[in-house]
Amino acid sequence: MTAPRAVAPPSPPSPDHDARRLGARLDTLRRHLGRLPPKAARSPAEQRTAGGILADGRAEREQFLARHAPAVYARLTDDLRSPLRVADLLAAAAEHYPGLVPGEADLAAESGRAQRDKEGWEIDQGLFVGRVLDDPLSGRHLVHAMVRPRDRAGWLLDEFRQQDTVDLGLVAVHHKNGVGHVVFQNHRYLNAEDDASNQALETAVDLVLLDDRIDVGVLRGGVATHPKWAGRRVYGAGINLTHLRQGRISLVDFFLDRELGAVNKMYRGHPGDFTAEPEPRSLCEKPWISAVDSFAIGGGCQFLLVMDHVVAEHGSYVNLPAGREGIIPGCGVMRLPRFVGEAVARQAVLFSRDIPVDSPEGRMVVADAVPAEEMEAAVDRAVEGLRATGLSSVLANRRAMRIAGEPLDTFRTYMANYAREQALCAYSQTVFDNLDRNWGR
């Protein structure tokens, strides 16, 4: 008797095959959504209908990405030969896989609308980026792409070397005696952060890292011109919640670029060639010092958690008031417990607890608390202390502590969740109500 021939299992559908089916399904859902009035003009029943349509579309995208995210990423990056920043990656995905993420027209239609009046297409961007970061190889490649120097920094480097200063608008960067001083100067909003300030900050950080005359970076707020604080330095007031309410804070240009770009560059430096290693060596990294005057609120506190030394004036405070804002405070949720313990971190994040720098908990974040008139001297001592240790030793130990405390894959996995959850938070009713109640003026 002849044995029955084994039948090979059917090949799984290709990404292109599934993408065509997804595109057709999403096109149908988009037509249904287009029959409804704009979000701001919908009745409660119409808004429930729109919510169902959007949820169905997101479920379809999630199913597609669960099967094909690595293959999609490989195609968009020429099999990982082309490093694309998040914005460029999303633009390529919109072109090659219509409907998978919002296109330029979708985002342009949302521009100028208040946050509560937007459809929330950025959520689909967050879902896509989260799936890419979930995959170890794709995610490491994207993290690597995001810490490469920005083109603008390369264009400005000669000017910086010749003049020792570059004014980037909301941020300035200066060189003096081998120290790169990055200064916040968004005076109207007490150095609150937004899309423009974040883009300027990343360029400033790049210049400090690229300039081989510089061996230490210092982050500090400039002298305020705000009437209430005129003549005093302030460090940072966190995210500009007025801009968030107005719909002017971007998931990509702020939330994702900030953590994967400027902050991660201060923490990990610029990369060498992509190797796919779980802990690649940086091509160039430098130690960083922060000088906190008055307060480091929200994002300002988050900067302190990637510094090598923090000095602060007596009477200042830090906090992560995410409970009051309704969003995720960057990577602060991951990093703050390493400094103050999980119990205090929960109180800070969930209950908006202030942490005075002169308190026992504050001294776990801040190394030196000094009178205001001694801040300059304290910064100078910190610089000389790092140099006295020997910068090669500082960088070796910095890397060792980073590997032990926050391995790259831990960061990558955190950011995968952050991309999704921050997008959902930013378009939640809780955030809309919080912004209207507290920042509606």
Side-chain angles (χ1 to χ4, degrees), residues 3-4 18 26 28 33 41 58-59 86 89 95 133 140 151 153 161 192 242 261 271 277 284 329 346 358:
D18 280 358
L26 293 176
T28 300
L33 188 66
R58 284 168 191 145
V86 168
L89 177 68
E95 178 182 353
L133 290 168
R140 290 172 191 167
D151 289 342
R161 285 173 171 157
T242 299
E277 295 173 288
C284 178
R346 285 182 182 274
D358 299 300

Side-chain angles (χ1 to χ4, degrees), residues 332-406:
V333 178
M334 172 174 59
R335 292 169 178 153
L336 186 62
R338 300 204 297 265
F339 288 76
V340 300
E342 190 168 324
V344 174
R346 285 182 182 274
Q347 292 170 34
V349 172
L350 302 180
F351 296 94
S352 302
R353 171 181 169 177
D354 291 343
I355 302 177
V357 302
D358 299 300
S359 68
E361 296 82 4
R363 294 307 299 273
M364 295 176 182
V365 178
V366 171
D368 292 325
V370 300
E373 62 271 17
E374 296 181 17
M375 286 288 286
E376 300 286 349
V379 171
D380 291 342
R381 285 196 301 271
V383 170
E384 293 311 311
L386 288 169
R387 287 173 173 165
T389 302
L391 286 173
S392 60
S393 173
V394 168
L395 296 179
N397 284 290
R398 186 180 202 263
R399 171 178 162 81
M401 284 188 279
R402 187 170 64 237
I403 290 171
E406 188 183 304

Side-chain angles (χ1 to χ4, degrees), residues 182-260:
V182 175
V183 181
F184 303 122
Q185 51 186 29
N186 188 3
H187 299 306
R188 179 181 178 185
Y189 294 105
L190 295 177
N191 295 331
E193 298 177 72
D194 55 22
D195 288 17
S197 70
N198 178 62
Q199 299 300 308
L201 174 63
E202 187 172 354
T203 299
V205 170
D206 279 338
L207 288 170
V208 170
L209 292 173
L210 289 169
D211 191 333
D212 53 15
R213 301 172 302 167
I214 292 174
D215 54 18
V216 179
V218 172
L219 205 59
R220 193 176 187 186
V223 177
T225 60
H226 190 284
K228 184 178 178 180
W229 296 87
R232 294 183 58 187
R233 289 182 183 265
V234 296
Y235 189 79
I239 185 174
N240 189 323
L241 291 161
T242 299
H243 283 188
L244 180 58
R245 182 176 182 269
Q246 294 169 346
R248 296 165 59 190
I249 299 291
S250 163
L251 177 70
V252 173
D253 292 335
F254 184 77
F255 288 119
L256 297 181
D257 268 14
R258 183 183 188 276
E259 304 307 318
L260 291 164

Side-chain angles (χ1 to χ4, degrees), residues 150-160 203 207 210:
R150 300 292 297 264
D151 289 342
R152 187 184 184 195
W155 301 332
L156 291 171
L157 185 57
D158 284 344
E159 176 185 338
F160 184 52
T203 299
L207 288 170
L210 289 169

